[in-house]
Amino acid sequence: MPQPADGQILVRNIVMSVDPYMRGRMDDVKSYAPPFEVGAALQGGAVGEVVASTVDTLRPGDTVLHGLGWREYAVLDARHAVRVDPAVAPPGAYLGVLGMTGLTAYAGLLEVAEFKPGDTVFVSGAAGAVGSVVGQIAKLKGAKRVIGSAGSAAKVAHLLDELGFDAAFNYKDGPVREQLAEAAPDGIDVYFDNVGGDHLEAALATINVHGRIAVCGMISLYNNTEPPPAPRNLVQLIKKRITMRGMLVGDHAHLQEQFVTEVGGWLRAGKLRYQETVVHGLANAPEAFLGMLRGENTGKMLVTVD
Ligand SMILES: NC(=O)c1ccc[n+]([C@@H]2O[C@H](COP(=O)([O-])OP(=O)(O)OC[C@H]3O[C@@H](n4cnc5c(N)ncnc54)[C@H](OP(=O)(O)O)[C@@H]3O)[C@@H](O)[C@H]2O)c1
């Protein structure tokens, strides 16, 4: 068992996150996050309990959010851990709806896509951690219509029956372009992209003049070895004067306080719902990660470590 040096804490991990961006860190290329190293433990969001500390600000028994998941115990600099309150929300929520994926949804919709009340919003990956929150925030903020796409009939039913989406479709049932046109007879004003490829092409075809696209993720491409065949209609950017903006959640840290206040309030009031898919045991973490890429999760995919 490693011991914490000066300024460090020892944390026993309770729950960890598996996220799509981790796939990118498995490619040995320059990106916003450095590649994982062969032979070293992977990294990622985790919540755990402090068991030893050399600092006054964090004491044994405190629950902390930090970046050294994929292990049972982590030693880290105390300044890289944030205390969270397990009495306010369960540990896993700080990795999802009240954590990185929740902030991504909040910032992506409100700041990047510049959502306005009355917009019709389309979100792909809609039953996942980010997408499910995007759709609900859009409804809570006065969207005219919220449309989601997901990869199974059960997920479509979840969007319609439990999360309050106005329309939803299974992208495996037929061409996305046709299904989206049917779900959005008056077009869309905002597309929140989690998927890329044919979803982005369909959104470009369906979006209205001066539409806005937040490019959050392109999960349909993460395992590609060839360039994607779609979108083939980028000319629509000119014809419809579309704004399309890539985003990284790390650029939106200034919204953190506002996000926790607003989303925390909706959660307390029962206005925003979230689901988690939980896999038990660190040994099953690789399978949980692969399962998430295959769509086996509804809401946030988490792994309990203890
Ligand atoms: N830019 C940022 O700062 C940022 C931050 C967080 C996340 N993201 C991105 O946001 C997206 C969602 O992340 P998340 O953490 O919320 O994951 P998630 O949606 O909870 O899980 C991934 C989901 O992607 C769907 N999927 C997998 N392959 C697909 C394909 N070929 N076509 C369509 N859907 C597919 C699966 O659902 P189905 O069953 O519906 O296929 C799966 O459940 C990802 O693209 C991720 O990279 C970006």
Side-chain angles (χ1 to χ4, degrees):
M1 182 66 65
Q3 289 305 310
D6 255 7
Q8 291 191 320
I9 51 175
L10 172 67
V11 179
R12 181 181 59 79
N13 281 336
I14 298 166
V15 60
M16 58 169 258
S17 181
V18 286
D19 293 275
Y21 79 87
M22 292 171 179
R23 176 61 188 84
R25 297 190 68 180
M26 292 170 192
D27 292 329
D28 191 12
V29 293
K30 202 169 173 222
S31 184
Y32 57 89
F36 291 131
E37 285 173 41
V38 174
L42 305 187
Q43 299 168 0
V47 173
E49 185 188 334
V50 176
V51 289
S53 172
T54 62
V55 298
D56 295 333
T57 45
L58 291 173
R59 300 310 306 158
D62 283 349
T63 305
V64 289
L65 170 69
H66 65 94
L68 291 185
W70 294 92
R71 68 200 76 196
E72 290 169 314
Y73 286 86
V75 167
L76 64 144
D77 287 354
R79 64 198 162 90
H80 292 149
V82 178
R83 189 190 295 108
V84 295
D85 189 347
V88 170
Y94 294 103
L95 298 168
V97 66
L98 280 176
M100 188 273 278
T101 57
L103 179 60
T104 303
Y106 188 85
L109 182 69
L110 303 182
E111 199 159 77
V112 181
E114 297 182 3
F115 170 84
K116 297 190 296 287
D119 280 343
T120 293
V121 175
F122 170 48
V123 54
S124 53
V130 173
S132 58
V133 176
V134 169
Q136 292 185 86
I137 294 178
K139 284 300 281 186
L140 285 162
K141 290 268 184 188
K144 179 177 161 200
R145 187 170 171 78
V146 173
I147 301 156
S149 69
S152 74
K155 289 186 181 186
V156 168
H158 173 63
L159 297 177
L160 294 173
D161 302 340
E162 289 165 51
L163 301 189
F165 280 58
D166 299 290
F169 60 86
N170 179 352
Y171 66 85
K172 294 173 183 165
D173 279 351
V176 180
R177 198 167 170 149
E178 286 169 23
Q179 296 200 76
L180 178 59
E182 200 175 311
D186 298 329
I188 58 172
D189 304 300
V190 165
Y191 173 46
F192 192 107
D193 193 12
N194 284 320
V195 169
D198 56 350
H199 273 82
L200 180 54
E201 185 169 300
L204 286 163
T206 312
I207 204 161
N208 296 324
V209 167
H210 293 141
R212 286 96 63 207
I213 301 178
V215 184
C216 171
M218 293 196 173
I219 198 163
S220 70
L221 318 185
Y222 294 174
N223 275 325
N224 274 12
T225 50
E226 297 295 325
R232 297 162 296 183
N233 56 350
L234 279 177
V235 71
Q236 295 297 339
L237 290 173
I238 309 162
K239 292 187 178 171
K240 297 178 181 169
R241 284 85 80 205
I242 299 165
T243 305
M244 185 160 134
R245 236 181 105 189
M247 73 165 289
L248 264 189
V249 62
D251 293 347
H252 301 271
H254 56 278
L255 288 178
Q256 175 68 21
E257 212 178 300
Q258 180 186 327
F259 154 70
V260 170
T261 305
E262 202 160 18
V263 170
W266 287 326
L267 286 170
R268 265 194 305 277
K271 292 181 175 170
L272 193 143
R273 303 174 77 167
Y274 70 99
Q275 194 156 329
E276 292 165 344
T277 302
V278 182
V279 169
H280 297 284
L282 184 58
N284 295 319
E287 201 39 54
F289 171 69
L290 294 171
M292 179 275 300
L293 291 178
R294 287 191 294 257
E296 287 164 16
N297 59 308
T298 301
K300 182 82 193 89
M301 183 67 113
L302 295 171
V303 180
T304 56
V305 179
D306 57 344

